[in-house]
Amino acid sequence: MIDISQFRIAPGTRVDLSRHEPNSRKGFEGGKKDGKKALPGLTKTIAGLQRRLWAESEQSLLVVLQAMDTGGKDGTIRHVFRGVNPQGVDVHGFGVPTEEELAHDYLWRVHQHTPADGRIAIFNRSHYEDVLVVRVKELVPKEVWSRRYEHIRAFEEMLSHEGTTIVKVFLNISKDEQKERFEARLGEPDKNWKFRKGDLEDRALWDAYRAAYEDAITKTSTDHAPWYVVPADRKWYRNLAVSSILIETLERMNPQFPDPEQDLTDVVIR
Ligand code: ADP
């Protein structure tokens, strides 16, 4: 386990991403090899906690994953949720909205995928795109997106009051690391499919995206839906960090196996 308090953004703190080191491996003694060895123990713990959440079926967990392109959202999901029962977990990616989605308010498509009791939902991108790409690319006027932080806070507060625990993770990579990951996508035929020329337009807007992230995280990190800024240049450390966040969160939720319906002590199976 890594101490996750170092990643957590306390409500009301003004976030300055330049003060968050993407290459950090603070709180872990050892290097990549040790880090990779430590992960299975954590994923096993997550799997055990998820079994209890599923069995209890009285509360749910929403994990929001956000990152710049190549930030490692997909890899994080693959590694961290390796051990869980797929029946109890839903992953939703949020891409460019469809015509139908655009004809509704921006939270409409998101609300449909929030987790039911006993389940974990993972958002690969989320309603935060509506104050990130939408702001940076000026898809709606400022007066429209600037009101959304308040909506989002209220929406998440409502979810938490109704039994959904929320954690939000920003995978923080450096611009140099992004360059290397894009180069790998171009250089390795198996990764070509992941490369879109449009990604480079977003890379050119790096500073505007960072500013939008800083604002979003600052304005929406709350006690009921905290943001964690996770160093993500080293994939093995990122996996340990996100796993630690999930374990601490699920332990705090403390799901319990339900009591059996009746006393089972004298049941005999013939
Ligand atoms: P990813 O890049 O996460 O692997 P995709 O290749 O499907 O997934 O990209 C999703 C794209 O959809 C991103 O470029 C993102 O900015 C865009 N997108 C997501 N939500 C919105 C939104 N609300 N408005 C406009 N674009 C969005």
Coordinates of all heavy atoms in Angstrom, one line a residue, residues 76-107:
T76 N -4.6 1.2 -16.7 CA -4.9 1.2 -15.3 C -6.1 0.3 -15.0 O -6.1 -0.6 -14.1 CB -5.3 2.6 -14.8 OG1 -4.2 3.5 -15.0 CG2 -5.6 2.7 -13.3
I77 N -7.1 0.4 -15.8 CA -8.3 -0.5 -15.7 C -7.9 -1.9 -15.8 O -8.3 -2.8 -15.0 CB -9.4 -0.1 -16.7 CG1 -9.9 1.3 -16.4 CG2 -10.6 -1.1 -16.6 CD1 -10.8 1.9 -17.5
R78 N -7.1 -2.2 -16.8 CA -6.7 -3.6 -17.1 C -6.0 -4.2 -15.9 O -6.2 -5.3 -15.4 CB -5.8 -3.7 -18.3 CG -6.5 -4.0 -19.6 CD -5.5 -4.6 -20.6 NE -4.2 -4.0 -20.7 CZ -4.0 -2.8 -21.3 NH1 -4.9 -2.2 -22.0 NH2 -2.7 -2.3 -21.3
H79 N -5.0 -3.4 -15.3 CA -4.2 -4.0 -14.3 C -4.9 -4.0 -12.9 O -4.8 -4.9 -12.2 CB -2.9 -3.2 -14.2 CG -1.9 -3.5 -15.3 ND1 -1.8 -2.7 -16.4 CD2 -1.1 -4.5 -15.5 CE1 -0.9 -3.2 -17.2 NE2 -0.5 -4.3 -16.7
V80 N -5.5 -2.9 -12.6 CA -6.0 -2.7 -11.2 C -7.2 -3.6 -10.9 O -7.4 -4.1 -9.8 CB -6.3 -1.2 -10.9 CG1 -7.1 -1.0 -9.6 CG2 -5.0 -0.4 -10.9
F81 N -8.0 -3.8 -12.0 CA -9.3 -4.6 -11.8 C -9.1 -6.0 -12.2 O -10.1 -6.7 -12.4 CB -10.4 -3.9 -12.5 CG -10.8 -2.6 -11.8 CD1 -10.3 -1.4 -12.3 CD2 -11.6 -2.6 -10.7 CE1 -10.6 -0.2 -11.7 CE2 -12.0 -1.4 -10.1 CZ -11.4 -0.2 -10.6
R82 N -7.9 -6.4 -12.3 CA -7.6 -7.8 -12.9 C -8.3 -8.9 -12.1 O -8.9 -9.8 -12.7 CB -6.1 -8.0 -12.7 CG -5.6 -9.3 -13.3 CD -4.1 -9.2 -13.2 NE -3.5 -8.5 -14.4 CZ -2.2 -8.1 -14.5 NH1 -1.4 -8.4 -13.5 NH2 -1.8 -7.4 -15.5
G83 N -8.4 -8.8 -10.8 CA -8.9 -9.9 -10.0 C -10.4 -9.9 -9.8 O -11.0 -10.8 -9.3
V84 N -11.1 -8.8 -10.2 CA -12.5 -8.7 -9.7 C -13.4 -9.5 -10.5 O -13.1 -9.9 -11.7 CB -13.0 -7.2 -9.7 CG1 -12.1 -6.3 -8.9 CG2 -13.0 -6.7 -11.2
N85 N -14.6 -9.8 -9.9 CA -15.6 -10.6 -10.6 C -16.3 -9.7 -11.7 O -16.9 -8.7 -11.3 CB -16.6 -11.0 -9.6 CG -17.8 -11.7 -10.3 OD1 -17.9 -11.9 -11.5 ND2 -18.8 -12.1 -9.4
P86 N -16.1 -10.0 -13.0 CA -16.6 -9.1 -14.0 C -18.1 -8.8 -13.9 O -18.6 -7.8 -14.4 CB -16.2 -9.8 -15.3 CG -15.3 -10.8 -15.0 CD -15.5 -11.2 -13.5
Q87 N -18.8 -9.7 -13.3 CA -20.3 -9.5 -13.2 C -20.6 -8.3 -12.4 O -21.7 -7.7 -12.5 CB -20.9 -10.7 -12.4 CG -21.3 -11.8 -13.3 CD -22.4 -12.7 -12.7 OE1 -23.5 -12.6 -13.1 NE2 -22.0 -13.5 -11.7
G88 N -19.7 -7.9 -11.5 CA -20.1 -6.8 -10.6 C -19.5 -5.4 -11.0 O -19.6 -4.4 -10.3
V89 N -18.8 -5.4 -12.1 CA -18.1 -4.2 -12.5 C -18.5 -3.7 -13.9 O -18.6 -4.6 -14.9 CB -16.5 -4.4 -12.5 CG1 -15.8 -3.1 -12.9 CG2 -16.1 -4.8 -11.1
D90 N -18.8 -2.5 -14.1 CA -19.1 -1.9 -15.4 C -18.1 -0.8 -15.8 O -17.9 0.1 -15.0 CB -20.5 -1.3 -15.4 CG -21.5 -2.3 -14.9 OD1 -21.8 -3.3 -15.6 OD2 -22.1 -2.1 -13.8
V91 N -17.5 -0.9 -17.0 CA -16.6 0.1 -17.5 C -17.4 0.9 -18.6 O -17.9 0.2 -19.5 CB -15.3 -0.5 -18.1 CG1 -14.4 0.6 -18.5 CG2 -14.7 -1.4 -17.1
H92 N -17.4 2.2 -18.5 CA -18.0 3.0 -19.5 C -17.0 4.0 -20.1 O -16.5 4.8 -19.3 CB -19.3 3.7 -19.0 CG -20.3 2.8 -18.6 ND1 -21.1 2.1 -19.6 CD2 -20.7 2.3 -17.4 CE1 -22.0 1.3 -18.9 NE2 -21.7 1.4 -17.7
G93 N -16.8 4.0 -21.4 CA -16.0 5.1 -22.0 C -17.0 6.2 -22.5 O -18.1 5.8 -23.0
F94 N -16.6 7.4 -22.3 CA -17.4 8.5 -22.8 C -16.6 9.2 -23.9 O -15.7 9.9 -23.7 CB -17.8 9.5 -21.7 CG -18.7 8.9 -20.7 CD1 -18.2 8.3 -19.5 CD2 -20.1 8.8 -20.9 CE1 -19.1 7.7 -18.6 CE2 -21.0 8.2 -20.0 CZ -20.5 7.7 -18.9
G95 N -17.1 9.0 -25.2 CA -16.5 9.7 -26.3 C -17.2 10.9 -26.8 O -18.0 11.4 -26.0
V96 N -17.0 11.3 -28.0 CA -17.7 12.5 -28.5 C -19.2 12.2 -28.5 O -19.7 11.1 -28.9 CB -17.3 12.7 -30.0 CG1 -18.1 13.8 -30.6 CG2 -15.8 12.9 -30.1
P97 N -20.0 13.1 -27.9 CA -21.4 12.8 -27.7 C -22.2 12.5 -29.0 O -21.8 13.2 -30.0 CB -22.0 14.0 -27.0 CG -20.8 14.8 -26.5 CD -19.6 14.4 -27.4
T98 N -23.1 11.6 -29.0 CA -24.0 11.4 -30.2 C -25.0 12.5 -30.3 O -25.1 13.3 -29.4 CB -24.8 10.1 -30.0 OG1 -25.6 10.2 -28.9 CG2 -23.9 8.9 -29.7
E99 N -25.7 12.5 -31.4 CA -26.7 13.5 -31.6 C -27.8 13.5 -30.5 O -28.2 14.5 -30.0 CB -27.4 13.2 -33.0 CG -27.8 14.5 -33.7 CD -28.3 14.1 -35.1 OE1 -27.5 13.5 -35.9 OE2 -29.5 14.3 -35.4
E100 N -28.1 12.2 -30.2 CA -29.1 12.1 -29.1 C -28.6 12.6 -27.8 O -29.4 13.3 -27.1 CB -29.6 10.6 -29.0 CG -30.8 10.4 -28.1 CD -31.1 9.0 -27.7 OE1 -30.2 8.1 -27.9 OE2 -32.2 8.8 -27.3
E101 N -27.4 12.3 -27.5 CA -26.8 12.8 -26.2 C -26.7 14.3 -26.2 O -27.0 15.0 -25.2 CB -25.4 12.2 -26.0 CG -25.5 10.7 -25.6 CD -24.2 9.9 -25.7 OE1 -23.2 10.5 -26.2 OE2 -24.2 8.8 -25.2
L102 N -26.4 14.9 -27.4 CA -26.2 16.3 -27.4 C -27.6 17.0 -27.3 O -27.7 18.2 -26.9 CB -25.6 16.7 -28.7 CG -24.1 16.6 -28.8 CD1 -23.5 17.0 -30.2 CD2 -23.4 17.6 -27.7
A103 N -28.6 16.3 -27.6 CA -30.0 16.9 -27.5 C -30.5 16.9 -26.1 O -31.6 17.4 -25.8 CB -30.9 16.1 -28.4
H104 N -29.7 16.3 -25.2 CA -30.1 16.3 -23.8 C -29.1 17.2 -23.0 O -28.0 17.6 -23.5 CB -30.0 14.9 -23.2 CG -31.1 14.0 -23.7 ND1 -31.1 13.4 -24.9 CD2 -32.3 13.7 -23.1 CE1 -32.2 12.7 -25.1 NE2 -33.0 12.9 -24.0
D105 N -29.3 17.4 -21.7 CA -28.3 18.0 -20.9 C -27.1 17.1 -20.7 O -27.2 15.8 -20.9 CB -28.9 18.3 -19.5 CG -29.2 17.0 -18.7 OD1 -28.2 16.6 -18.0 OD2 -30.3 16.5 -18.8
Y106 N -25.9 17.6 -20.4 CA -24.7 16.9 -20.5 C -24.6 15.8 -19.4 O -23.7 14.9 -19.5 CB -23.5 17.8 -20.4 CG -23.3 18.5 -19.1 CD1 -22.4 18.1 -18.1 CD2 -24.1 19.6 -18.8 CE1 -22.3 18.7 -16.9 CE2 -24.0 20.3 -17.6 CZ -23.1 19.8 -16.6 OH -23.0 20.4 -15.4
L107 N -25.4 15.8 -18.4 CA -25.3 14.8 -17.3 C -26.2 13.6 -17.7 O -26.1 12.5 -17.0 CB -25.7 15.4 -16.0 CG -24.6 16.3 -15.4 CD1 -25.1 16.9 -14.1 CD2 -23.3 15.6 -15.2

